Amino acid sequence: MMVNDYNYETVTGRQIDLRSLTADEKDCLTFVLSKYKEKPGWSEFAAWWFNYVDDRRIGSDSPVQRICSDLEARIGIAEGKVKPPDYQDYLAAFIDEQYGSRYKFCQATGVDQGQLSKVISGKADLSLDLLRKVLSHLHASLIIQREETARSAASPEEASRVLAALAR
Amino acid sequence: MSQQEEQIECWFLIPILRNSVPREKHPTELWDVFHKCLRDLFHALSGPVDVFRERVKIRAIEDVRKTPGSWPNEQGEIINDESRKYTLLIAEHKVDDLREFLEKVANSFDQDEILCVVRGVKKSVLRRKQAGFLDGDLWSE
């Protein structure tokens, strides 16, 4: 899952540099992790972290929000209530991260916006050639892996393991 | 001097499955988008400290399954989806904002109707295409 000790990777492949966290954010996340390790349910954890992070006045743009959402998603996936990410989710996340919107991505790369919209919404698939072109613009590559490996990478336990480095 | 606004309790349900066949669970990050929009809609973190900050407070988020027959939809059909129930405390004058927000939620989460109850009164929100989608929804056409 992670590239190195200071990188947190979400289930959709977004990278968050933990070194960018302020002391307050690290403190907040350390406490979140302690609650996470109690193995709360999906919605129980969602309700708790939403209010806790709010009470700590952590801004909506803080990486803490993204990490907490990811922790929540992992529980939801494990409980069978959230769709595990597939290639459309990775594409959407990478496009959002690098270009800000599908529109900007399509303007910059010449990829047809209508076709891309259909692909990301699950109504169509990309041809392999077009997928390669899109991945090239996103500095990404296609990987085939065992389902077990994918499940492990998306698990709550893996996220806990990575975030435990915060406490060190 | 603080300006106190009465807060009222309301709740709404978001089914965990989308309506379109085959009925699938929502995209991984869509719940994150929803929470951001919910927070942005009701949150005011800036401003002088003596002004009451209208903030949404989540009383609870629960996984529920509706009791059969308890809440038929507008067509009178009994829908028994497992759903996520959000119970909020919001300022009363924000109820219309909440309803507008839920119209976008209906589109982004692919639902014909979002069951919403305000002070014990059913005020469901029907899907309205013109309302658009949640800001940051990357998955809807």
Side-chain angles (χ1 to χ4, degrees):
Chain A
M1 165 190 167
M2 62 175 195
V3 176
N4 47 46
D5 285 344
Y6 51 81
N7 227 17
Y8 180 92
E9 185 172 307
T10 70
V11 289
T12 50
R14 294 180 191 258
Q15 304 276 330
I16 298 168
D17 186 347
L18 297 176
R19 294 174 303 181
S20 70
L21 298 177
T22 64
D24 199 38
E25 287 172 330
K26 276 187 193 160
D27 188 61
C28 173
L29 209 46
T30 302
F31 189 69
V32 167
L33 183 58
S34 69
K35 295 296 285 187
Y36 197 65
K37 285 180 175 174
E38 292 172 11
K39 298 191 193 302
W42 174 51
S43 290
E44 178 194 351
F45 180 69
W48 178 82
W49 83 255
F50 188 99
N51 284 336
Y52 175 70
V53 168
D54 186 47
D55 288 344
R56 290 290 299 256
R57 303 287 185 168
I58 301 291
S60 59
D61 291 333
S62 164
V64 170
Q65 302 267 6
R66 175 75 69 189
I67 292 171
C68 288
S69 282
D70 185 67
L71 295 175
E72 177 195 327
R74 287 167 188 271
I75 301 174
I77 291 167
E79 288 185 6
K81 291 172 182 169
V82 173
K83 186 163 82 77
D86 54 24
Y87 84 94
Q88 290 104 331
D89 296 298
Y90 277 91
L91 285 183
F94 285 10
I95 288 170
D96 180 53
E97 219 173 30
Q98 295 179 41
Y99 290 84
S101 71
R102 281 196 308 238
Y103 173 78
K104 285 178 185 169
F105 173 75
C106 293
Q107 286 287 300
T109 62
V111 173
D112 180 72
Q113 191 174 351
Q115 188 178 8
L116 184 64
S117 291
K118 282 187 161 57
V119 168
I120 291 180
S121 64
K123 293 186 170 75
D125 283 310
L126 280 175
S127 67
L128 209 49
D129 279 346
L130 188 49
L131 178 59
R132 286 200 184 104
K133 179 184 176 184
V134 168
L135 291 176
S136 160
H137 286 298
L138 295 173
H139 311 289
S141 57
L142 190 63
I143 293 175
I144 296 175
Q145 63 181 353
R146 295 181 189 280
E147 280 183 1
E148 187 183 328
T149 306
R151 266 198 304 273
S152 173
S155 68
E157 291 74 24
E158 178 63 15
S160 291
R161 189 184 67 77
V162 172
L163 290 176
L166 279 178
R168 293 200 284 268
Chain B
M1 180 180 297
S2 298
Q3 298 170 6
Q4 294 296 327
E5 300 239 12
E6 184 183 42
Q7 290 199 309
I8 60 173
E9 185 173 288
C10 60
W11 59 264
F12 55 87
L13 300 183
I14 301 179
I16 66 168
L17 296 181
R18 301 173 78 76
N19 267 11
S20 303
V21 175
R23 302 195 68 201
E24 293 189 332
K25 294 163 203 151
H26 302 296
T28 316
E29 290 188 351
L30 185 56
W31 292 105
D32 177 36
V33 168
F34 166 73
H35 288 149
K36 275 204 186 92
C37 291
L38 185 66
R39 186 180 285 108
D40 289 347
L41 181 65
F42 293 104
H43 229 248
L45 281 179
S46 60
V49 293
D50 59 346
V51 172
F52 177 76
R53 294 195 175 104
E54 296 169 353
R55 296 165 61 187
V56 65
K57 222 37 183 175
I58 290 187
R59 290 285 301 272
I61 303 176
E62 304 159 275
D63 298 334
V64 299
R65 188 180 291 275
K66 284 182 277 190
T67 304
S70 60
W71 295 107
N73 65 8
E74 291 295 315
Q75 286 76 41
E77 298 162 325
I78 308 301
I79 307 297
N80 198 31
D81 283 344
E82 183 171 354
S83 302
R84 226 185 193 185
K85 179 183 180 185
Y86 285 78
T87 305
L88 309 180
L89 284 180
I90 64 171
E92 184 157 20
H93 75 274
K94 285 288 192 180
V95 171
D96 284 343
D97 289 341
L98 176 64
R99 289 177 57 76
E100 278 182 31
F101 170 68
L102 292 179
E103 284 184 329
K104 292 184 180 179
V105 169
N107 286 330
S108 286
F109 282 84
D110 186 25
Q111 303 294 323
D112 291 331
E113 177 183 352
I114 298 289
L115 174 60
C116 177
V117 172
V118 179
R119 274 188 166 157
V121 177
K122 183 183 175 191
K123 292 196 183 285
S124 289
V125 171
L126 300 181
R127 188 202 297 255
R128 188 174 67 89
K129 195 175 174 184
Q130 297 85 348
F133 300 97
L134 291 174
D135 190 25
D137 179 354
L138 305 169
W139 303 271
S140 298
E141 281 195 274

